[in-house]
């Protein structure tokens, strides 16, 4: 799955899709609050559209469906682009269902152009303005994390200078976020899906976060991206642990649910759990099978991978 398409779909969608459960009503039905079917050991966070064939298009119905299946968190890359009314309705539903809001994308992502890397003051101010705007969104939906991607490399500028430019921009963003207890999480993205981006590896993200030196700047460790980029998942998680604020999930190849690719998610989840992680693991992946059958397969994959 191309992340650019993934984010674009989330920004365009005001629809909410649900996740299929065991014996639920027909798609599009208004869902009640049946007993939770599953009890997961970690806070896995589905996204809108993942379970649409069971829950229908309404975001509130989708959230209720997720909660009914035992999911205790939710993430939405496109939350910032939704209407205030929709944001408030979703926040109210999450509060009622005791669901924790995960990440949303905090700013416009520059996929092919330098952004924070080349030291352009106008682009830096644009970034900081968008971070400030995202604080209001975070407060409205009770979010504590927002995703930041520093942009493309500046090919004519030494990487040391680029790193300094990124660090300085992130320090200023941290000054905005710290008073509100909000954390931006930096996401390294793999070279295959996103060639040329500045931030690609977990050691690099670790170094940047150490340089920024703020509780409001941490790593989003996307297990899918890092399997492609560097592998060695558990040792790298351990090495970066103090700076990891958030995880995302996707198997490789295919970027679908756990058990569909090469990653031993049972072992990875067990390790993360053993370290006492209390945060969110966003389900930023597709469904390997279409329709209700595929939605049920996603739930079963998490039940299987969460058994340890």
């Amino acid at each position: 799955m191309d992340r650019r398409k993934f984010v674009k779909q989330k920004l365009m969608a005001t629809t909410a899709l649900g996740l299929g459960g065991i014996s639920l009503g027909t798609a599009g039905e208004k869902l009640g609050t049946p007993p939770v079917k599953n009890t997961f050991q970690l806070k896995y966070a589905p996204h809108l559209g993942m379970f649409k064939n069971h829950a229908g298009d309404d975001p509130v119905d989708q959230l209720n469906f997720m909660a009914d299946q035992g999911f205790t968190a939710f993430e939405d890359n496109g939350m910032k682009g939704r209407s205030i009314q929709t944001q408030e309705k979703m926040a109210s539903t999450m509060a009622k269902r005791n669901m924790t809001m995960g990440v949303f994308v905090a700013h416009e992502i520059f996929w092919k152009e330098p952004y924070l890397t080349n030291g352009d003051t106008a682009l830096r101010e644009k970034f900081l303005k968008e971070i400030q705007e995202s604080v209001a969104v975070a407060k409205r939906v009770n979010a504590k994390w927002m995703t930041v991607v520093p942009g493309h490399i500046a090919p004519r500028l030494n990487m040391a200078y680029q790193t300094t430019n990124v660090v300085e921009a992130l320090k200023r963003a941290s000054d905005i976020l710290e008073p509100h207890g909000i954390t931006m999480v930096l996401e390294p993205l793999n070279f295959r899906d996103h060639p040329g981006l500045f931030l690609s590896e977990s050691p690099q993200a670790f170094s940047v976060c150490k340089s920024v030196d703020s509780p409001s700047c941490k790593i989003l460790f996307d297990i899918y991206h890092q399997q492609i980029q560097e592998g060695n998942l558990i040792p790298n998680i351990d090495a970066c642990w103090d700076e990891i604020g958030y995880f995302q999930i996707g198997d490789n190849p295919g970027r679908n649910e756990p058990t569909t690719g090469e990653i031993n998610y049972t072992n990875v989840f067990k390790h993360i759990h053993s370290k006492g992680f209390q945060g969110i693991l966003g389900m930023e992946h597709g469904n390997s099978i279409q329709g209700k059958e595929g939605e049920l397969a996603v739930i079963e994959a998490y039940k299987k991978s969460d058994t340890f």
Side-chain angles (χ1 to χ4, degrees), residues 33-306:
T33 54
V36 170
K37 304 296 192 300
N38 310 297
T39 301
F40 296 111
Q41 299 183 79
L42 291 167
K43 292 182 180 178
Y44 306 113
H47 56 80
L48 295 182
M50 181 166 270
F51 303 123
K52 64 181 180 180
N53 291 285
H54 279 91
D57 289 336
D58 185 85
V60 169
D61 286 350
Q62 293 186 56
L63 287 168
N64 279 321
F65 182 86
M66 295 171 194
D68 290 344
Q69 304 313 300
F71 293 105
T72 56
F74 166 75
E75 69 174 23
D76 182 12
N77 282 337
M79 180 64 86
K80 189 174 181 179
R82 303 191 190 282
S83 70
I84 290 176
Q85 181 182 25
T86 299
Q87 292 172 0
E88 290 175 343
K89 287 175 63 178
M90 294 174 71
S92 176
T93 302
M94 285 186 279
K96 291 176 182 175
R97 300 308 306 270
N98 198 28
M99 298 180 76
T100 303
M101 177 66 199
V103 292
F104 64 92
V105 176
H107 62 97
E108 179 185 359
I109 296 178
F110 281 53
W111 294 108
K112 294 183 178 180
E113 305 84 16
Y115 187 30
L116 302 180
T117 55
N118 64 1
D120 186 302
T121 55
L123 288 176
R124 181 184 295 176
E125 291 305 314
K126 168 181 163 61
F127 168 70
L128 295 172
K129 180 176 180 291
E130 292 176 343
I131 292 295
Q132 185 67 65
E133 293 168 350
S134 292
V135 170
V137 178
K139 288 189 171 184
R140 195 175 296 126
V141 300
N142 300 313
K144 295 297 183 184
W145 303 272
M146 57 179 69
T147 303
V148 166
V149 178
H152 204 271
I153 61 169
R156 297 181 184 275
L157 194 62
N158 184 282
M159 278 296 287
Y161 295 128
Q162 295 185 60
T163 300
T164 299
N165 291 333
V166 169
V167 168
E168 288 304 308
L170 296 177
K171 283 183 176 180
R172 291 185 59 185
S174 295
D175 288 341
I176 295 171
L177 297 172
E178 281 183 19
H180 305 285
I182 298 170
T183 301
M184 59 182 166
V185 284
L186 313 181
E187 183 175 13
L189 300 169
N190 77 76
F191 72 96
R192 184 187 70 190
D193 295 347
H194 305 290
L197 289 188
F198 169 79
L199 194 62
S200 60
E201 297 184 351
S202 59
Q204 180 192 15
F206 180 80
S207 178
V208 167
C209 287
K210 286 296 185 185
S211 296
V212 175
D213 191 23
S214 168
S216 286
C217 183
K218 296 296 180 182
I219 299 170
L220 193 172
F221 194 105
D222 188 311
I223 297 165
Y224 163 78
H225 284 300
Q226 294 319 306
Q227 171 68 1
I228 296 168
Q229 183 68 35
E230 60 196 19
N232 201 34
L233 291 171
I234 288 175
N236 278 321
I237 287 170
D238 284 346
C240 290
W241 187 257
D242 289 347
E243 298 297 332
I244 293 175
Y246 198 98
F247 285 95
Q248 284 183 328
I249 301 161
D251 216 336
N252 181 60
R255 200 173 188 178
N256 291 313
E257 68 270 15
T259 73
T260 58
E262 65 186 354
I263 301 174
N264 187 333
Y265 265 106
T266 297
N267 281 356
V268 174
F269 290 159
K270 179 180 179 180
H271 187 73
I272 292 170
H273 182 265
S274 74
K275 294 178 75 69
F277 186 69
Q278 299 296 311
I280 291 176
L281 298 91
M283 297 160 60
E284 197 188 34
H285 57 74
N287 298 1
S288 63
I289 304 170
Q290 297 300 307
K292 288 187 174 182
E293 180 185 359
E295 294 172 2
L296 292 170
V298 169
I299 297 171
E300 290 303 312
Y302 278 89
K303 288 170 62 179
K304 178 179 180 180
S305 300
D306 189 72

